[in-house]
Amino acid sequence: MPLSKIRNFSIIAHVDHGKSTLADRLLEETHTIQKRNMKAQLLDMLELERERGITIKSVPVRMNYKAKDGNEYILNLIDTPGHADFTYEVSRSLAACEGAVLVVDAAQGVEAQTVANSYLAADLNIELIPVLNKVDLPSAQPERVKKEINEIIGIVADDAVLVSAKTGIGLPDVLERIVRDVPAPTGDANEPLQALIFDSVYDNYKGVICYVRVKNGVLKARKTIRFMATGRDYELDEVGVFKPTMEPVDELGPGEVGYISATIKSIDEAHVGDTITEASRPCKEALAGYKKVKPVVFCGYYPIERENTNQLREALEKLQINDSSISFEPENSVALGFGFRCGFLGLLHMEISKERLSREFGVDLVATAPNVVYQIVLTNGDIIEAHRPSDFPDPVKIEETREPYIKLSIFMPDEFVGPTMKLCQEKRGTYVGMDYLAPERVRLTYNLPLAEFILDFHDRLKSCTRGYASLDYDHIGFKADNLVKVDMLLQDEPVDAFSFICHADQAYQRGHTVVGKLKELIPRQLFEIPVQAAIGQKVIVRMNIKAVRKDVLAKCYGGDITRKNKLLDKQKKGKKRMKQVGKVAIPQEAFYAFMDVTKAEDN
Amino acid sequence: MSNPFLPPSGELSLYIHIPFCERKCPYCAFESFIPSRVDATVYLELLEKEFEWWSIRIGKPMFNTCYIGGGTPTILNSQQWSKLIKTIEKYCNFTPSAEITVEANPNSLKAEHLHAWRDWRVNRVSIGVQSFDDAELEQLGRMHNSAQAYEALSAAIVSGFSVNADFIFGLPGQTFHNWSRTLKDAVKTGVDHLSLYQLTLEPGTPWENMPSENLSDGYYPYRWAQWYLPRKGFKQYEVANFSKPECESKHNINYWREGEYLGVGLGASGYLSEWRYKNISTLQEYADAMTSRKSAITSGERLTPEAKAREAFILALRMTDGVYRDQYKNKYGAFYEQMLLDILESFPKHLYEITDRNIKLTTKGMRVANRIWLELI
C-alpha cells in the first residue's frame, strides 16, 4: 500500500464526550467489525474501562475504507487513554499519528481535557479535525460550541463535522474528512529502521507485544532489532496488524501501524516512547519525545489477611508485567504488617490498579492514604527523596523541603468561580489566571501542590461546583515549601503508621483532627494515654485518653467459674485482634479510620 | 477412710440447687423454672436419688459448709423443707461449726421457713433484697416491695441468723442518691454481710438486648460503697462482698480458694479431685437420669497445670487478701507465680500491692479487676 493511501489518526475528547462510541461506529461503518460481534465500546477492552467509561490502554485498529474518490485507504485508528494521569501515553499515541479527530460534546462544549489534549496534539504539529458529537440531543448547541473551539483552542471549527455516534448521523463525513484532512504519512523504506513504540502489553504466550508505528525503514520478521533506550537486541518473532484482532503480516513499512513480538520477557524492557531500530544498521537518532515516566503518587498496599503477602506480591508482579509504570517495594507497617509501597502515575491510576488487583488477581487489600514524593535538601547539601513520612529525617538535618506542583486548569460556569477559588486558596494554590471562554464559561488556572490535589480535591470541587466543573493538570516540577512531618505519639512513643506530612500552616489543624480521632477510637486502658501530635521535639496537640475506672466481672461463685473463664478468654481474644504498640492496644479500625482522616478532613 | 473423690484435707463444701422461682426476673440467667404444684415434691425425690448415686461413690462425707441456693429455696413449703432436710441428713455429715446458708426471697420467706431452718443446722440466710427503692424493685421485676424486704431481713435477724443482703447497682436510670439511700438503709437493718452486684446484661435473658448505654455508670456507686461501708464496719473482702468482722461467707471463700465442693441438683456445678463438672439443666432430662439411676453430670473439665495456676491466681485476686504466696508456690510452683507476677507488674502501681506474704489488688485495683484478669488468664 503506498503511503499516500494510509491515514493514521487518534480520537481525542473530554471524558464522556463520546470518544469510544464514535470509534465503535467507525469500525462498523468500515465493516471492520460486524455489528453483531460488537460489544458496547469494543476498544475499551478491560472490563474496568467499560464500567468506568474511560480508556486506560491504547488499542490500535486498522480499517479498510473505500473513499468517495474511488480509492481504497487504510485508516489506522490509535485510541488513546483519556485521563491526565496518562498524559505521556497520550502524547506517544498522538506522536504515532498525523492527525486527530477532536470530539466535543455539542451540548456541553469545550471542557478541560478537550483543551489539554488539543494542546498536546498541537505541540506535535498534528492535524485536528473538529467533530461535534451528540447533535441529536435537544440541548445541543453546535454554533455555540464551534465558537468555543475557535476561541479557546484556536482552530477553525466552522466546518466541524456534526455527528451523532448514537444514531449514526454524519459518520461517513468523518471518514471522508479523515481521508481529506489527515496528511498521508511520510517516510523512506530504504532509510535505517525507525519505529515508535506507543504502547506495549504482555501476552502469556508471546511475551511482550509492542504496538508500533514505523517512521522509516521496514520491520520484517526474524530480523534482529534494537531498542534504543535500553540498547537491548531481540530477534523479531512476529510482525502484524490489528484487524482489530492481531494478524501476522510479512512486513510493516513506513507509515504503517502494527505490532511486533520478539520474546521480550518483561514489559519494563519495552518502554513506551522508545525507538526500535535494526541492530545491523541502526539509525543515527532515536525519535524525539522519549522519557521514562516516574510514579508521582504513592501508597501502601497491604493484604487484608496478613498471611497473603506473597499472593499480593505475585499479583503485583503480574500487574507490573502489564503496566510498567507501577513500581513497588516491600514495606512493613506496625499496624498492617507486611505490604508494599507502590507508585502510580496519579490517583486514577492508583484506584484502577487496586481494582485490577482484586478483580483480575483476586487479592483483597487495604490501600493506605496516598502521598506524593518529597524532595529534601539536607544541611550537608544532599538531596533525598521521601516516599513516606518515615523517610523524613530529623527536622534539624533539613535545610529545605520541596514538593511537587501541578498546574491545574478548571473549566466551569462562572457562577462557581467564587467557591472554586476559595477551595484552591485553601488548598495552598497560587492563582495563575482566569479567562472567559464564553460569556458564562470560565477557565481558572492555579498552581497547586500535588499533595493537596490527591487529598480530596476532586470530591471537594465536585461538591462546590455541583459537578459542573472539569479539570486537567500538568506536572510542573518541585517547589520549596515549609513542609513538616507530624508524628503521632501514644504514651510518648511515636507510632509510625499515624505520622503524616503536611504544610507547617496546616500541621496544627490536621494534628488536631487525627489526635481527636485516635482519642475516639483507642479504647480506654488501665492507664491514662497521652495522645500527642509533634513536629520533631515540639508537641503541637495533646489530648488524653482517660484510664478505665471500672471493669469488674461482678459475681463469681461455684457455678460461675467455668463460665467466667470462658468470658475472660473471649474478651482476651477480642483484645488480641488489637495491635500492641508499646503498652497501648490499638484496634485495627483506628488504622483504617486514620486513612480516612488524612484523606478527607480539614473542614 | 480416704476416698479418691474427696480432698485429702477433708475440707469439703456442699451446694444444693433448688431450680424454681415464682417468676423469672428479666436480668437473671440462673437455671430456674416456674414449677407446677407437684414439681417441687417430685424434684425433692429426684434430688434424693442423686444423693444416693453419690453416696455409693463417696459414702457419707463430712462437709464444712453448705449452701442451698437457687432459684428460690423459699418456694418450698415447710413439709418440703422437712423432706429436704431429711435427705441431706441421711447422706451428709457436717462439722459442728459448719456454715449452712440458705437463699431466700423477701416475698416467699415465711416464719415456718425460719423455724424449720433454726431447728435444723442453718445459721446463715442470704436474702435477695436488690434495692430498697420500690420503683427499682418494680423495674427489676421483683415480687416484693421495700416494706417486705425490711420485714424479711428483720425476721431473719431476730431469729438469730447471720444475714446477708444482695443489692444491684448500675440499673437503668438509677441515681447515685437512690443507691446511697439503699446502702445506708441496708446498714441500718443489722445485716452483717452485703453482696453488691453490678447489673450485667446476660445472654439468654429478656434484658440481653438492652442497649448498654441505658445502664448507669457503675463506677460511682461502686467507689462510694468501697468508701462508705468500711466506715460502717463492713470490710470489703472480695470484689463484690463486704462483711462485719468474722462474718465472711466461708462457703464462697472456699470457691475463691480453689476448695472442692459437691454440687447437687439440676444445673448445679461441682469440683472434686480437681475436676469440675456440671449437671443436666433441664427438668425432663434430670428426671430421666435420676429415675434410671444414672449420673446427673452432663459435662466435666480438668484444667492443664498452667490454666489451673492462672485460674487460682485470678480467683485469689478477687479477695482482698489476694494470693497467699507460700501456699500458692507450694501448690503451683514458683515458675507460675513469677510469670503472673511479671504480668501484674506491667500495670500501674496503684492497682496492686505485693508483699512477702501476699499479692493483692488495691481498692482501686478491685474496680478494674476484670482488665487485670484479662491479662492473667
Side-chain angles (χ1 to χ4, degrees), chain A residues 65 94 164 185 214 229 385 404:
Chain A
Y65 175 62
L94 289 174
S164 165
V214 181
E385 274 192 354

Side-chain angles (χ1 to χ4, degrees), chain A residues 550-551 554 556-557 565 575, chain B residues 198 256 311 367 370 375:
Chain A
K550 183 169 190 310
D551 187 0
C556 184
Y557 301 113
N565 280 349
K575 207 166 162 259
Chain B
Q198 182 168 11
W256 301 318
E311 180 189 281
R367 294 174 199 157
N370 192 51
E375 300 302 324

Side-chain angles (χ1 to χ4, degrees), chain A residues 128-132 142-151 154-162 177 180:
Chain A
L128 279 177
I129 301 170
V131 167
L132 304 192
E143 289 314 308
R144 192 205 86 197
V145 175
K146 281 182 191 174
K147 213 170 144 213
E148 280 184 14
I149 298 175
N150 277 336
E151 286 172 4
I155 60 171
V156 181
D158 298 343
D159 62 345
V161 190
L162 303 186
R177 282 288 292 278
R180 192 188 87 189

Side-chain angles (χ1 to χ4, degrees), chain A residues 146-207:
Chain A
K146 281 182 191 174
K147 213 170 144 213
E148 280 184 14
I149 298 175
N150 277 336
E151 286 172 4
I152 305 164
I153 301 170
I155 60 171
V156 181
D158 298 343
D159 62 345
V161 190
L162 303 186
V163 307
S164 165
K166 210 170 111 201
T167 66
I169 300 170
L171 291 177
D173 301 337
V174 176
L175 293 166
E176 284 300 313
R177 282 288 292 278
I178 291 168
V179 169
R180 192 188 87 189
D181 291 352
V182 174
T186 54
D188 188 342
N190 300 317
E191 288 281 304
L193 178 67
Q194 264 185 323
L196 171 73
I197 302 178
F198 60 87
D199 207 348
S200 54
V201 295
Y202 186 82
D203 181 283
N204 284 333
Y205 303 103
K206 299 178 178 172

Side-chain angles (χ1 to χ4, degrees), chain A residues 72 351 398 492 503 513 521:
Chain A
E72 289 268 353
E351 280 168 29
I398 297 176
D492 303 320
H503 193 271
T513 312
L521 287 166

